[in-house]
């Protein structure tokens, strides 16, 4: 099963995503996180749907998986001030 199989992320990408992706990877051939591996993926610096190139960076697959996992974990954690939060 693909990591994107239960996500609408691909549908939210702009029609021009393949061109944007190629341009970002051409500008960032080396991962902008670890600076030691080839960039193979395009990452949104600030998570969300801002697909402007100023919010995109080339990143290697392991760094992208790690960054996305951290972001997903933060999004899934209940906020301390949420009214439906169950105390731990």
């Amino acid at each position: 099963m693909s990591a994107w199989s239960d996500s609408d992320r691909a549908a939210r990408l702009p029609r021009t995503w393949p061109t944007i992706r190629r341009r970002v990877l051409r500008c960032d051939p080396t991962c902008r996180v670890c600076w030691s591996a080839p960039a193979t993926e395009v990452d949104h610096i600030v998570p969300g749907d801002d697909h402007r190139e100023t919010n995109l960076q080339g990143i290697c697959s392991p760094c992208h998986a790690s960054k996305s996992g951290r972001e997903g974990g933060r999004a899934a954690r209940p906020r301390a001030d949420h009214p439906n939060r169950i105390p731990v």
Side-chain angles (χ1 to χ4, degrees):
M1 183 182 285
S2 165
W4 286 46
S5 62
D6 61 348
S7 172
D8 68 341
R9 184 72 172 150
R12 294 189 337 253
L13 293 172
R15 179 181 49 78
T16 57
W17 182 251
T19 302
I20 294 168
R21 184 181 187 283
R22 279 191 302 274
R23 202 167 29 238
V24 170
L25 292 175
R26 190 171 38 246
C27 289
D28 293 342
T30 303
C31 177
R32 299 286 303 252
V33 175
C34 70
W35 296 100
S36 63
T40 56
E41 301 187 30
V42 174
D43 172 61
H44 289 78
I45 298 166
V46 176
D49 290 334
D50 178 359
H51 307 300
R52 292 175 294 172
E53 289 184 45
T54 55
N55 188 46
L56 302 173
Q57 63 183 348
I59 189 171
C60 70
S61 185
C63 286
H64 196 227
S66 176
K67 182 177 183 281
S68 295
R70 286 190 310 271
E71 291 166 356
R74 280 194 296 269
R77 263 195 310 258
R79 289 182 35 193
D81 62 345
H82 191 280
N84 296 329
R85 179 181 170 272
I86 298 170
V88 180

